[in-house]
Amino acid sequence: MDNLQVEHALDWMAKTNEKIQDNKEYLTTLDQAIGDGDHGINMARGFGEVMKKLNGEAYQHAADVMKDAAMTLMSKVGGAAGPLYGTAFLKLSMTFKGTDVDYATFSKGIEDALNGVKQRGKAEIGEKTLVDVWSAVANALRENEGFDSEVILQSAKSGMEGSKDIKATKGRAAYLGDRSIGHLDPGSVSSFYLFESLAEVINEGA
Amino acid sequence: MSYVGIVLISHSPKVVEGIKDIIRQVIHDVPIELAGGTDENEIGTSIEKIQVAIDKAYSEKGVLLMYDLGSAKMNAEMAIEMSEKDNIKIVEAPLLEGSYVAAVESGMNKSLDEVVKALEKGF
Ligand SMILES: Nc1ncnc2c1ncn2[C@@H]1O[C@H](COP(=O)(O)OP(=O)(O)O)[C@@H](O)[C@H]1O
Ligand SMILES: [Mg+2]
């Protein structure tokens, strides 16, 4: 894969939606442990709506797919994940706009999305949020030179697993303090599904 | 005469309805609009609801957004950015007490900045 085309972007969202729907209960269980137990419900509702929206339109550019995903997630997710994922996809759409989404553009997009999410959540790396996964992937992309599914998958996985043994200092889980240690961060797991899906798209589109 | 409008944002529609009832016993003319719950009125917040509430509460004196929990603030910030207006502000104050004070101040014909200052000092 040299460029992220419209069909790749659509496939990326469809695969993410499948994983989110399949793991709705699991995400909710994770959020029950250190939050309010709605992350699976929020994400399943949001991505379900994203698929409805995307299936009803014809797209010319990956940027427009990202934009519609962003707008839908913002209004439909309900919890913190709404503005956070909404911001991430909006940044991707802004960076992709008007150009071929080659590796450099894609990698810049993820970087911009990461910065947008950090700003939106006032969060830094290591606070046990989805920022940990996005930053791990952004770093890996920066150090590489082409779409490589394994690099994306492994970096997302390490970001997700790294969220387990640290204390939450942002989001609802922060209210638990030390008791948040030892649990995976739900938002990091849903972000892992997003990047796992991307890795699959890259494999299939190679 | 126009007043600084107030938008109450909460994860629950019932919370903002109750707060509005309490304020309305005392303050009648200040625009108070509600953005409680998700689009389906479940627990959560909705940017769309916040945007609609801002539009309804809007006057040239501006609008103040009051919120309950962290994720509501993120949605409020997004709604402000998307409105592209510069006289809409968020304050950090307890939702009930803060909104009450904001309504009283606005009712005394204060400017947006004055209301914000009163809240920053009070909490
Ligand atoms: N301030 C923040 N900055 C970055 N990420 C955050 C922040 N607050 C929450 N999150 C992420 O959002 C996830 C929770 O999402 P969700 O359950 O949908 O929202 P809520 O906390 O409103 O119930 C967390 O697991 C975390 O990854
Ligand atoms: Mg939650």
Side-chain angles (χ1 to χ4, degrees):
Chain A
M1 194 168 111
D2 298 322
N3 284 315
L4 186 87
Q5 314 273 7
V6 172
E7 58 272 23
H8 298 136
L10 289 170
D11 198 25
W12 182 19
M13 294 301 100
K15 285 187 158 55
T16 304
N17 177 51
E18 259 170 55
K19 291 190 204 300
I20 301 259
Q21 303 300 339
D22 289 349
N23 293 285
K24 182 175 165 181
E25 299 300 320
Y26 174 57
L27 289 172
T28 288
T29 309
L30 292 174
D31 198 29
Q32 271 162 358
I34 57 170
D36 56 351
D38 63 358
H39 191 61
I41 299 164
N42 289 345
M43 293 299 288
R45 177 174 56 224
F47 268 90
E49 293 291 334
V50 167
M51 291 319 295
K52 274 192 218 160
K53 175 75 186 167
L54 298 185
N55 288 333
E57 308 274 333
Y59 292 95
Q60 304 297 325
H61 198 285
D64 302 323
V65 177
M66 297 292 103
K67 174 138 195 240
D68 276 358
M71 301 315 273
T72 308
L73 291 172
M74 276 179 210
S75 60
K76 296 297 176 191
V77 168
L84 292 166
Y85 278 104
T87 300
F89 282 111
L90 202 59
K91 293 286 178 189
L92 287 177
S93 123
M94 284 156 64
T95 309
F96 293 176
K97 204 177 165 82
T99 166
D100 279 345
V101 186
D102 57 10
Y103 183 74
T105 306
F106 183 78
S107 157
K108 167 104 178 18
I110 296 292
E111 186 89 46
D112 293 346
L114 165 66
N115 289 329
V117 170
K118 283 164 79 174
Q119 201 180 13
R120 177 71 56 216
K122 314 242 174 351
E124 286 301 324
I125 299 162
E127 300 204 83
K128 201 183 184 92
T129 71
L130 44 80
V131 165
D132 296 357
V133 171
W134 283 77
S135 62
V137 173
N139 285 339
L141 290 175
R142 207 182 304 121
E143 285 160 15
N144 271 269
E145 279 162 11
F147 287 102
D148 182 334
S149 60
E150 203 50 29
V151 164
I152 292 173
L153 184 66
Q154 291 312 323
S155 58
K157 195 163 178 209
S158 76
M160 170 181 74
E161 286 168 351
S163 78
K164 186 164 181 178
D165 292 323
I166 56 179
K167 179 165 105 177
T169 47
K170 282 284 144 52
R172 258 177 225 267
Y175 293 112
L176 291 180
D178 284 339
R179 278 180 294 149
S180 66
I181 298 173
H183 299 277
L184 283 171
D185 167 53
S188 295
V189 176
S190 59
S191 286
F192 170 74
Y193 294 144
L194 180 77
F195 290 114
E196 188 185 33
S197 303
L198 177 65
E200 290 174 13
V201 172
I202 292 170
N203 275 339
E204 290 169 17
Chain B
M1 192 200 302
S2 72
Y3 299 94
V4 173
I6 297 168
V7 169
L8 308 180
I9 307 165
S10 167
H11 279 61
S12 156
K14 287 185 201 159
V15 164
V16 283
E17 281 162 25
I19 293 176
K20 184 175 175 183
D21 288 345
I22 293 173
I23 297 173
R24 277 285 180 253
Q25 272 207 311
V26 188
I27 307 288
H28 305 284
D29 303 328
V30 174
I32 298 171
E33 295 295 337
L34 308 182
T38 65
D39 290 349
E40 283 79 30
N41 287 326
E42 283 161 24
I43 300 292
T45 55
S46 147
I47 294 194
E48 247 170 73
K49 274 194 178 175
I50 299 171
Q51 287 174 313
V52 170
I54 289 175
D55 286 344
K56 285 204 225 156
Y58 191 79
S59 76
E60 71 279 0
K61 288 188 92 169
V63 180
L64 193 62
L65 311 188
M66 309 291 302
Y67 70 95
D68 59 359
L69 297 170
S71 64
K73 183 181 184 189
M74 288 192 249
N75 270 334
E77 285 171 347
M78 299 213 71
I80 292 181
E81 285 162 30
M82 282 148 73
S83 78
E84 290 175 356
K85 293 189 181 100
D86 58 8
N87 55 356
I88 304 174
K89 294 204 165 141
I90 307 179
V91 265
E92 312 267 341
L95 183 60
L96 167 57
E97 291 87 340
S99 305
Y100 192 94
V101 171
V104 171
E105 294 285 324
S106 170
M108 295 192 296
N109 224 352
K110 300 277 179 68
S111 71
L112 180 60
D113 284 340
E114 287 169 331
V115 178
V116 169
K117 226 170 260 151
L119 287 166
E120 282 170 351
K121 248 203 311 210
F123 297 99

